């Protein structure tokens, strides 16, 4: 494809793109002539490397005997650090073009010029490019030793119509070593995967295992980085946990140590050196649990010292120490507790988290805590000692309802229970069928697209090396009816994530 770089065209394209997609206004250089084009829709959604954009517009002019020449072009809308470039894709009246662009937003430009008068008119249409990998339910799974991803395709609604089993290994010819853990999605991860000369925003789906990690280009599902090159040098310890985002940064746990990318500076997607706890480089071991939100600094828990830590916008070589709010009932530092669970409950001016602690000295003492974590890093921890008769006391797996009812769900044997955090009322919500074993429990919701919106309690089970993931709707915090969505496949399901062209790194709060 040839590129048109000169300023005048880019200027007019930018003007058209910002103001004329909806009202189709033409910017006329010769007011006495009006060129009209029909047969071009205001927007199209097309699959990269599969769909062709075939258009046969009709063109007329108010000037008799017009002799037209044509130019088709396309340019990217989501650029950062450079001006968009219009790629020429045709010079005939009609267009028959195989879409090859990466999955993201583009603008189609149609320029019609009357050679007799020199008058040109521009027409635009928004192009939403997708791939077969950019919409559907992803299931991170493993067989105990190697991990893969299944993709359940949802072309019309949140309910799948087909499945691309082992999608990751089909594309790459290999699986990831280890047991699957966590799925994460970033829309502004920096890479050269889209063919740019400098690192540019790339939409990526990230799967971690306990031995490896794959940051995959969502357009192709090919890995951009793995555990071998995710840092500036290959790590001696290869024990990744989570990658997640917080205020102005990405955060990566490997071997209980923290690495960051500060996104307000230039980067190529590699994480920096291990962040120190303090100026004395005191040893630490971070729990896999964290509190985060896209617009807040995250909070971590050091298992070595039983202390909370944070990071100021992900910048620098030192973590930020926390202090106590005057009304706290438990110190944030050196509290002699083991963290059994922590999840984000709500976010805004401050983060609110829910945690389950066990005392290191008295293992029979378990505490349910509400943590308020303002940006000042003065933590307020309000404790409620659990009774041995509480079903929550005996639980093994937990998930808090993020941004919804004040409830926590948990597993007890083959039963899923809820607990109202306001009054302590516990309720049996679901009994797992006999012979099935729980592997996954999470609350997830999505509201960006009305047709695909959901708010589910998701329960994953296994029988041998086959999984079943059931997704239940809820009313007033409780499960209602039969599963709205059921996913089945080979392996052990460890995490589930819904991807669509509208999903970005701010769509979901990443939490257990």
């Amino acid at each position: 494809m040839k590129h048109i770089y000169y300023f005048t065209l880019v200027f007019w394209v930018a003007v058209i793109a910002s103001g004329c997609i909806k009202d189709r206004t033409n910017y006329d250089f010769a007011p006495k002539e009006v060129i009209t084009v029909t047969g071009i829709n205001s927007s199209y959604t097309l699959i990269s490397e599969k769909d062709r954009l075939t258009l046969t517009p009709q063109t007329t002019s108010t000037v008799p005997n017009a002799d037209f020449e044509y130019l088709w072009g396309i340019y990217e809308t989501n650029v950062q650090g450079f001006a968009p470039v219009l790629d020429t894709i045709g010079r005939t009246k009609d267009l028959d073009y195989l879409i090859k662009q990466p999955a993201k937003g583009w603008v189609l430009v149609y320029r019609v010029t009357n050679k007799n008068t020199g008058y040109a008119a521009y027409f635009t249409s928004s192009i939403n490019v997708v791939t077969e990998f950019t919409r559907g339910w992803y299931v991170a799974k493993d067989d105990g030793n190697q991990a893969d991803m299944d993709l359940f395709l949802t072309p019309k609604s949140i309910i799948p119509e087909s499945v691309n089993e082992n999608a990751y290994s089909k594309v790459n010819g290999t699986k990831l070593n280890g047991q699957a853990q966590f799925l994460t999605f970033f829309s502004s991860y920096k890479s050269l995967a889209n063919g740019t000369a400098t690192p540019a925003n790339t939409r990526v789906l990230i799967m971690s295992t306990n031995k490896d990690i794959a940051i995959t280009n969502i357009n192709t599902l090919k890995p951009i980085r793995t555990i071998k090159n995710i840092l500036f040098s290959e790590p001696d310890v290869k024990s990744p946990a989570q990658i997640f985002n917080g205020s102005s940064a990405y955060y990566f746990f490997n071997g209980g140590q923290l690495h960051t990318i500060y996104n307000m500076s230039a980067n190529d997607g590699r994480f920096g050196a291990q962040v120190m706890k303090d100026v004395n480089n005191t040893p630490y071991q971070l729990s896999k649990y964290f509190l985060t939100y896209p617009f807040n600094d995250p909070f971590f828990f050091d298992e070595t010292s039983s202390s909370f830590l944070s990071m100021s916008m992900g910048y620098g070589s030192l973590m930020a120490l926390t202090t106590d709010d005057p009304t706290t009932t438990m110190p944030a530092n050196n509290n002699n507790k083991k963290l059994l669970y922590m999840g984000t409950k709500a976010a805004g001016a401050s983060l609110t988290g829910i945690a389950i602690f066990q005392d290191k000295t008295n293992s029979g003492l378990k505490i349910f805590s509400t943590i308020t974590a303002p940006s000042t890093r003065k933590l307020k921890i309000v404790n409620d000692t659990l009774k041995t008769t509480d079903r929550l006391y005996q639980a093994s797996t937990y998930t808090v309802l993020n941004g919804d009812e004040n409830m926590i769900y948990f597993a007890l044997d083959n039963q899923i229970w809820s607990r109202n955090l306001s009054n302590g009322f516990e309720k049996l919500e679901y009994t797992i069928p006999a012979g099935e074993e729980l592997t996954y429990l999470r609350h997830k919701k999505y509201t960006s697209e009305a047709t695909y919106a959901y708010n589910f309690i998701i329960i994953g089970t296994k029988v041998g090396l086959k999984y079943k993931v059931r997704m239940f709707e809820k009313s007033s915090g409780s499960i209602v009816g039969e599963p709205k969505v059921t996913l089945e496949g080979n392996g052990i399901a460890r995490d589930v994530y819904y991807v669509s062209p509208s999903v970005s790194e701010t769509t979901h709060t990443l939490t257990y």
Side-chain angles (χ1 to χ4, degrees):
M1 289 182 285
K2 296 181 179 179
H3 304 305
I4 297 177
Y5 288 97
Y6 35 87
F7 174 79
T8 302
L9 182 55
V10 171
F11 171 78
W12 282 111
V13 168
V15 170
I16 293 168
S18 64
C20 302
I21 292 177
K22 292 184 179 180
D23 65 15
R24 314 292 291 163
T25 301
N26 299 329
Y27 286 81
D28 295 348
F29 296 96
K32 294 181 180 180
E33 181 176 5
V34 175
I35 293 178
T36 302
V37 170
T38 59
I40 301 177
N41 295 338
S42 61
S43 65
Y44 298 89
T45 297
L46 301 162
I47 300 175
S48 184
E49 301 292 348
K50 181 179 179 181
D51 288 345
R52 303 188 72 88
L53 183 58
T54 303
L55 301 174
T56 56
Q58 300 301 312
T59 305
T60 60
S61 171
T62 55
V63 174
N65 303 315
D67 184 12
F68 296 121
E69 64 178 7
Y70 309 93
L71 182 141
W72 295 93
I74 192 169
Y75 69 92
E76 180 183 354
T77 56
N78 181 27
V79 298
Q80 188 174 21
F82 60 93
V85 175
L86 184 73
D87 288 337
T88 301
I89 60 174
R91 293 184 179 274
T92 57
K93 182 183 81 70
D94 299 336
L95 181 68
D96 183 23
Y97 176 72
L98 175 65
I99 292 294
K100 302 177 181 179
Q101 283 70 22
K104 59 177 67 178
W106 300 80
V107 173
L108 178 72
V109 178
Y110 187 41
R111 185 186 70 186
V112 180
T113 304
N114 186 347
K115 292 188 289 183
N116 294 335
T117 62
Y119 169 66
Y122 291 83
F123 304 86
T124 64
S125 178
S126 61
I127 307 294
N128 183 31
V129 177
V130 300
T131 72
E132 60 180 310
F133 304 116
T134 55
R135 182 178 289 282
W137 290 103
Y138 279 90
V139 177
K141 63 174 191 176
D142 62 75
D143 60 8
N145 297 302
Q146 292 186 308
D148 211 324
M149 287 191 289
D150 290 343
L151 170 58
F152 291 81
L153 303 172
T154 58
K156 298 177 182 177
S157 72
I158 204 65
I159 300 174
E161 295 185 4
S162 60
V163 60
N164 183 353
E165 189 176 8
N166 299 321
Y168 179 85
S169 62
K170 280 183 181 177
V171 170
N172 299 294
T174 185
K175 298 179 183 289
L176 282 182
N177 287 328
Q179 296 180 0
Q181 297 183 119
F182 213 70
L183 289 173
T184 309
F185 188 89
F186 292 157
S187 55
S188 300
Y189 180 80
K190 298 296 189 293
S191 83
L192 301 176
N194 295 328
T196 55
T198 58
N201 290 348
T202 308
R203 290 165 58 82
V204 296
L205 178 65
I206 305 168
M207 178 172 67
S208 67
T209 75
N210 59 349
K211 294 181 179 179
D212 205 346
I213 197 163
I215 301 177
T216 64
N217 184 346
I218 195 61
N219 297 335
T220 63
L221 221 61
K222 291 183 177 294
I224 298 169
R225 296 198 179 277
T226 67
I227 191 63
K228 292 184 176 181
N229 60 8
I230 195 172
L231 306 179
F232 281 89
S233 59
E234 184 174 346
D236 295 328
V237 175
K238 297 181 176 66
S239 181
Q242 279 66 255
I243 290 182
F244 56 93
N245 58 308
S247 177
S248 305
Y250 297 146
Y251 301 84
F252 171 47
F253 292 169
N254 181 48
Q257 308 301 295
L258 176 66
H259 303 264
T260 69
I261 295 176
Y262 177 56
N263 281 331
M264 302 304 290
S265 63
N267 70 85
D268 64 358
R270 287 180 291 181
F271 285 78
Q274 174 186 321
V275 179
M276 296 188 295
K277 178 180 178 179
D278 52 36
V279 293
N280 297 318
N281 197 17
T282 302
Y284 67 89
Q285 182 75 23
L286 297 183
S287 166
K288 70 174 184 178
Y289 298 111
F290 53 88
L291 298 179
T292 193
Y293 189 68
F295 309 109
N296 296 76
D297 289 338
F299 288 84
F300 328 115
F301 188 76
D302 174 25
E303 295 178 329
T304 301
S305 65
S306 296
S307 301
F308 281 93
L309 299 166
S310 185
M311 191 77 187
S312 181
M313 299 179 68
Y315 179 77
S317 60
L318 298 176
M319 279 184 266
L321 303 180
T322 58
T323 58
D324 294 332
D325 182 271
T327 60
T328 193
T329 59
M330 185 173 76
N333 296 287
N334 305 308
N335 55 39
N336 195 42
K337 297 296 183 290
K338 177 182 178 180
L339 182 62
L340 301 180
Y341 168 79
M342 184 166 65
T344 302
K345 179 70 183 72
S350 63
L351 282 172
T352 300
I354 299 300
I356 308 291
F357 292 100
Q358 183 178 33
D359 192 81
K360 287 183 175 180
T361 302
N362 178 9
S363 61
L365 175 61
K366 292 185 180 180
I367 297 170
F368 169 83
S369 301
T370 301
I371 304 168
T372 305
S375 58
T376 56
R377 286 182 284 280
K378 284 189 175 183
L379 298 189
K380 178 181 178 180
I381 305 174
V382 178
N383 289 342
D384 182 8
T385 300
L386 294 175
K387 300 185 292 292
T388 57
T389 55
D390 290 334
R391 290 182 174 86
L392 183 60
Y393 179 95
Q394 307 165 52
S396 56
T397 304
Y398 319 82
T399 189
V400 67
L401 300 193
N402 179 257
D404 279 2
E405 298 88 353
N406 194 31
M407 299 175 70
I408 188 172
Y409 271 64
F410 58 92
L412 182 60
D413 298 325
N414 69 329
Q415 297 177 332
I416 305 300
W417 288 76
S418 67
R419 181 183 175 103
N420 187 309
L421 303 182
S422 300
N423 57 25
F425 177 73
E426 295 178 329
K427 177 184 177 183
L428 176 61
E429 297 285 354
Y430 180 73
T431 299
I432 297 171
E436 297 185 28
E437 179 184 344
L438 181 74
T439 64
Y440 180 77
L441 177 63
R442 203 71 57 87
H443 170 237
K444 288 181 178 286
K445 62 182 179 179
Y446 175 65
T447 59
S448 297
E449 301 171 281
T451 305
Y452 295 90
Y454 63 85
N455 192 333
F456 290 150
I457 299 295
I458 306 179
I459 301 171
T461 64
K462 73 176 181 108
V463 177
L465 286 179
K466 289 187 176 294
Y467 70 78
K468 180 174 285 190
V469 176
R470 298 174 174 92
M471 306 186 191
F472 295 89
E473 295 181 314
K474 58 186 178 65
S475 176
S476 300
S478 289
I479 286 175
V480 293
E482 296 298 312
K484 179 76 171 180
V485 176
T486 300
L487 312 178
E488 296 184 67
N490 295 311
I492 304 169
R494 308 288 188 180
D495 200 5
V496 179
Y497 200 100
Y498 188 75
V499 171
S500 82
S502 298
V503 168
S504 72
E505 54 206 29
T506 62
T507 300
H508 302 294
T509 298
L510 295 174
T511 187
Y512 282 93

